[in-house]
Amino acid sequence: MTWTGPRYLVLAWTGPGPGPTLLNLGPDRDRDRPQKSWTDLSVLFTTCLRDVIRSLNWDNKGINVNGRFLSHLIFADDIVIFSHSLKQLQRRIDELVTASSTVELKVNVKKTKTMTNFPGTASLSISGEPIEEVNEKYKHFLMAPAIAMKLKRRLFNMVIVPTMLYGAETWALTKQAETRLATTQRRMERRMIGVRLLDHCPNEWLRGVTKVVDIVKAA
């Protein structure tokens, strides 16, 4: 697959569910609400959100993947918006906020985050309120020689594995996908240990040192 990475993206986890959501367009959870009622509300919310997305003219926006534009990703009530242009991304955020308001979905700015290949450059906002930019502190944590491997392992298993496998229950796990997952994990493990590909360290040795969860088995 030919993939041109985005310069900017907004991680827009939407929805009324508990926990950290980044672009929360739904109502807050009522702890006393019956589970069935809450499930019905989630289905209604997801339907409304998908109608909002369909109303936006995003067909030729986003990043180019094999000749087709990928403007966003949706899984359940979560959204990621991609763009090479900061100006275009801000415009699409504004369009989403405006369209969402027509069905009475309100954005929670504090739970909206941005990521970029150029840290410190993504000055984005929602209705005049700045969107927080996610930093790369964990990258340096995993590569720092002074950090104990047991701490790196804990971070890898608790943060990186769930992130890599987000939405995996909807995948068709092909041999190609397994190879890409395994290759990516081995690259990360080499960085955690501080060795290079040219060092020709066996995969069994890498796993023996890191003792992290096998990403392919977890998928």
Side-chain angles (χ1 to χ4, degrees):
M1 174 180 289
T2 301
W3 177 275
T4 304
R7 288 173 179 262
Y8 306 95
L9 66 119
V10 171
L11 301 180
W13 276 257
T14 68
T21 57
L22 299 188
L23 189 54
N24 192 326
L25 299 175
D28 292 332
R29 175 182 283 273
D30 182 351
R31 295 182 182 275
D32 297 326
R33 183 189 299 273
Q35 182 61 40
K36 184 179 184 302
S37 175
W38 182 229
T39 301
D40 292 342
L41 178 61
S42 297
V43 172
L44 178 61
F45 166 79
T46 302
T47 302
C48 290
L49 178 59
R50 291 185 182 277
D51 285 342
V52 166
I53 294 297
R54 292 192 188 100
S55 72
L56 302 172
N57 184 22
W58 286 0
D59 291 344
N60 297 314
K61 298 177 182 178
I63 59 177
N64 191 308
V65 181
N66 286 348
R68 299 183 63 180
F69 282 95
L70 178 64
S71 62
H72 64 284
L73 294 175
I74 301 179
F75 175 71
D77 52 5
D78 298 345
I79 303 176
V80 180
I81 306 174
F82 302 97
S83 180
H84 285 301
S85 164
L86 188 63
K87 183 177 180 180
Q88 182 192 91
L89 184 55
Q90 180 64 68
R91 183 165 57 248
R92 289 168 60 202
I93 292 172
D94 294 339
E95 290 172 354
L96 180 59
V97 170
T98 300
S100 299
S101 66
T102 63
V103 291
E104 299 185 6
L105 296 180
K106 185 178 180 181
V107 175
N108 188 326
V109 183
K110 293 181 179 179
K111 295 183 178 181
T112 301
K113 311 294 179 185
T114 64
M115 291 182 65
T116 172
N117 290 336
F118 306 94
T121 64
S123 179
L124 299 167
S125 63
I126 295 177
S127 302
E129 295 187 52
I131 301 174
E132 180 184 355
E133 182 178 340
V134 178
N135 59 44
E136 298 183 324
K137 60 182 179 180
Y138 292 136
K139 172 183 177 181
H140 302 292
F141 182 93
L142 289 172
M143 297 174 61
I147 301 296
M149 184 57 66
K150 65 178 181 179
L151 299 179
K152 295 181 181 180
R153 181 187 310 123
R154 183 180 303 175
L155 177 64
F156 187 92
N157 291 341
M158 294 178 62
V159 178
I160 295 179
V161 171
T163 301
M164 290 180 66
L165 297 181
Y166 182 74
E169 58 267 31
T170 67
W171 299 356
L173 193 59
T174 63
K175 189 64 178 179
Q176 181 183 17
E178 289 183 356
T179 300
R180 294 182 67 179
L181 285 171
T183 301
T184 301
Q185 179 169 11
R186 286 195 294 270
R187 183 182 302 172
M188 292 181 179
E189 289 182 81
R190 284 194 294 270
R191 293 198 174 191
M192 291 167 64
I193 298 171
V195 298
R196 302 172 303 166
L197 182 61
L198 293 177
D199 294 327
H200 300 291
C201 298
N203 297 335
E204 294 77 10
W205 179 84
L206 291 175
R207 187 58 47 79
V209 174
T210 63
K211 295 182 175 63
V212 294
V213 171
D214 187 292
I215 195 76
V216 175
K217 292 181 180 179

